[in-house]
Amino acid sequence: MEPTGTGAAVVADWTRLPEDILVTVFCQLEIPSLLRSGAVCASWHAAYRTFRRLRLPSPKQPPCLLYSCDAYGPDAAGLYCPSTGATYRIPVSCGGGGGFRNLTLIGSADGPSSRRCPRCTTSRPPSTRTKAASCTTSMRIHPNTPPVRIPAREAQNCMYDRAVLSCGPRTRAGDAAAACVVLLLHKPMCELSYARPGDERWTWVSPGAGTGLQWRNWYCDAAYNKDDGLFYVVRRDDSVHALDLTGPSPVARKVFHDREWSESLASRFLENVHGLCGIPFRYLVHTPSGELLHVWRFRDSVSSYDLSLDDQDDNDDDDDDDSGDSLQEESSPEDEDDDSCDPPDEELVTEDIQLYMTDFHGQKLEAMDSLDDHAMFIGYNAPLCLPTKDFPGLSPNCVYITDDSLEYINYSRRNNKRDIGVWSIEDQKLQSLGGASPIKDPWLNWPAPIWITPSLL
């Protein structure tokens, strides 16, 4: 490479770097930086295309928050990287003319799982699927609530909980696409279906004979163990099944027994155990060293209505009434139907996160008070546990959370503020997710923000 300029002003011409050196540097970049590097100039773009053509691996990518932002418009997504604090605007092109806000996202630890999988309309036998001609359908959103009637066109937004991949899907022939299995948790009653890239339909994991699973499953979460090639699924009673999907038909065996509420819950939550917010949401997370963690997330329902506004209105009314006479107007049916008479909106707020190590031999859960030098990601995605030494920008002993209350996100509270932040295990407090945008709480309510791991493969 020859310098340009004369005398003391010597400027290197970075556009003339050899392609092999550029490709070597690209292998060390995080994906957002890699994409930007490919747009520097013609020679760098050519090296970027070579990098993509050779399908060279990038370093481990930190999870990023994918969300909808009002400032970015309906046809673009926001991508926030908590390890670097950088925010990116990502154009999203959707078929049929729909924008990013028309998508229904299901997160996973290995990237989006719907690109080469069948449409999510055949996970159950035909008799249980909603007919297209139906105007409404009945659906049980939560196990402790009665079925509700919702428009059929919105049913798919409430049907699919989360997806777990055995590995990242590949698009090039001859790669490990055939080995990729996607396990889907879905309604009704949090059941299981699975598919491989290229399948025409999802295969329902039927309970009963041959699978070892129970009827009325109520599975909360699943985790794939790359060491033994099995999916682990947890139920609302804390029992865990190991699911083998490598053979011609699914086989499951119980590896951790169910527990009584009095044994499972911390005492300060027992009084609300039979309520919607008293039951913790359960996650299964494999640590980098291979241990299986049970993670319990407790949330409380709070009003998002500012009562001080009512007090201010009352004071204003008192000031206007100078005569001391009180006038009472009769209410009309129109007044009763007014939106102002609706009860205040409620939001779910995380109030505690508890960690437990799974003792398969002793069939018990051992409480943990720290993640040490690890960070965890939970929400509307497959949970992750990462060593912070590999991602210096992440906060150790913290849990990065997004809102994953299916009934609040997709149905009854779609317009509410989302439960998003960083939970400090040491301080037992939820901190804001700073740096995602100069605007406070920039994410909209649809699609719900999820953690994804960027990948170019």
Side-chain angles (χ1 to χ4, degrees), residues 17 39 80 107 133 193 263 267 274 317 330 372 381 407:
L17 280 173
Y80 167 66
S193 293
E263 299 177 5
S267 59
H274 297 295
D317 291 341
E330 296 183 0
D372 296 327
N381 54 274
E407 66 274 13

Side-chain angles (χ1 to χ4, degrees), residues 176-215:
C180 177
V181 179
V182 183
L183 182 66
L184 183 68
L185 281 70
H186 60 86
K187 306 299 182 187
M189 302 179 187
C190 302
E191 298 179 2
L192 305 171
S193 293
Y194 70 97
R196 295 177 175 84
D199 287 353
E200 295 183 356
R201 60 177 295 143
W202 293 87
T203 300
W204 178 43
V205 183
S206 174
T211 62
L213 299 179
Q214 300 170 266
W215 290 96

Side-chain angles (χ1 to χ4, degrees), residues 152-439:
R153 65 180 179 274
E154 297 181 7
Q156 67 173 2
N157 297 335
C158 302
M159 280 294 293
Y160 310 111
D161 196 346
R162 64 196 64 227
V164 180
L165 278 66
S166 62
C167 62
R170 304 293 187 264
T171 58
R172 188 177 67 175
D175 270 343
C180 177
V181 179
V182 183
L183 182 66
L184 183 68
L185 281 70
H186 60 86
K187 306 299 182 187
M189 302 179 187
C190 302
E191 298 179 2
L192 305 171
S193 293
Y194 70 97
R196 295 177 175 84
D199 287 353
E200 295 183 356
R201 60 177 295 143
W202 293 87
T203 300
W204 178 43
V205 183
S206 174
T211 62
L213 299 179
Q214 300 170 266
W215 290 96
R216 303 178 67 88
N217 294 283
W218 295 124
Y219 287 107
C220 302
D221 196 20
Y224 181 75
N225 188 342
K226 296 182 180 180
D227 294 334
D228 57 20
L230 301 176
F231 288 91
Y232 289 78
V233 291
V234 61
R235 283 168 44 96
R236 292 179 60 245
D237 58 8
D238 295 328
S239 63
V240 178
H241 284 77
L243 184 61
D244 187 354
L245 300 178
T246 59
S249 59
V251 177
R253 60 185 178 90
K254 183 181 288 188
V255 294
F256 192 81
H257 297 301
D258 53 289
R259 298 165 53 81
E260 297 293 334
W261 283 115
S262 59
E263 299 177 5
S264 302
L265 293 177
S267 59
R268 60 194 175 99
F269 295 104
L270 284 177
E271 60 183 11
N272 296 323
V273 69
H274 297 295
L276 173 63
C277 302
I279 301 175
F281 191 90
R282 290 162 169 80
Y283 307 87
L284 286 184
V285 189
H286 279 107
T287 67
S289 57
E291 292 89 355
L292 184 65
L293 303 185
H294 284 238
V295 181
W296 293 350
R297 178 180 180 179
F298 292 87
R299 286 173 285 205
D300 193 12
S301 179
V302 299
S303 174
S304 61
Y305 187 75
D306 190 352
L307 296 178
S308 64
L309 297 179
D310 282 346
D311 295 338
Q312 181 178 357
D313 291 341
D314 292 340
N315 294 334
D316 291 343
D317 291 341
D318 293 340
D319 293 340
D320 292 340
D321 188 8
D322 294 333
S323 63
D325 297 333
S326 93
L327 300 178
Q328 183 176 2
E329 297 182 358
E330 296 183 0
S331 61
S332 65
E334 290 78 5
D335 295 332
E336 295 177 358
D337 294 336
D338 192 283
D339 290 341
S340 62
C341 299
D342 292 340
D345 285 340
E346 292 185 344
E347 300 169 356
L348 289 182
V349 177
T350 297
E351 62 177 11
D352 194 20
I353 291 180
Q354 300 178 7
L355 309 173
Y356 297 90
M357 184 78 70
T358 309
D359 180 1
F360 289 104
H361 179 72
Q363 290 292 301
K364 61 182 180 179
L365 297 179
E366 299 178 352
M368 301 171 56
D369 58 6
S370 175
L371 280 173
D372 296 327
D373 57 348
H374 289 73
M376 187 177 292
F377 291 80
I378 63 174
Y380 208 43
N381 54 274
L384 283 173
C385 184
L386 301 174
T388 52
K389 64 180 179 62
D390 295 338
F391 307 98
L394 297 181
S395 300
N397 200 27
C398 286
V399 182
Y400 292 76
I401 67 172
T402 60
D403 206 334
D404 62 353
S405 177
L406 188 63
E407 66 274 13
Y408 271 58
I409 289 175
N410 295 348
Y411 178 61
S412 61
R413 298 292 187 269
R414 286 185 62 170
N415 295 323
N416 278 22
K417 179 182 176 182
R418 295 302 171 207
D419 185 20
I420 298 175
V422 184
W423 179 267
S424 172
I425 297 177
E426 180 179 1
D427 299 333
Q428 292 290 290
K429 292 181 180 179
L430 183 63
Q431 306 165 357
S432 62
L433 194 64
S437 171
I439 306 173

Side-chain angles (χ1 to χ4, degrees), residues 34-97:
L34 175 62
L35 296 176
R36 287 181 170 180
S37 298
V40 169
C41 60
S43 61
W44 284 41
H45 183 69
Y48 168 78
R49 294 185 62 181
T50 300
F51 175 88
R52 294 298 305 275
R53 184 178 70 254
L54 296 176
R55 301 185 64 81
L56 297 174
S58 299
K60 284 186 176 181
Q61 302 294 315
C64 295
L65 185 68
L66 183 70
Y67 62 95
S68 176
C69 181
D70 194 18
Y72 294 158
D75 299 322
L79 191 67
Y80 167 66
C81 181
S83 66
T84 63
T87 305
Y88 306 91
R89 180 183 184 274
I90 309 297
V92 178
S93 177
C94 306

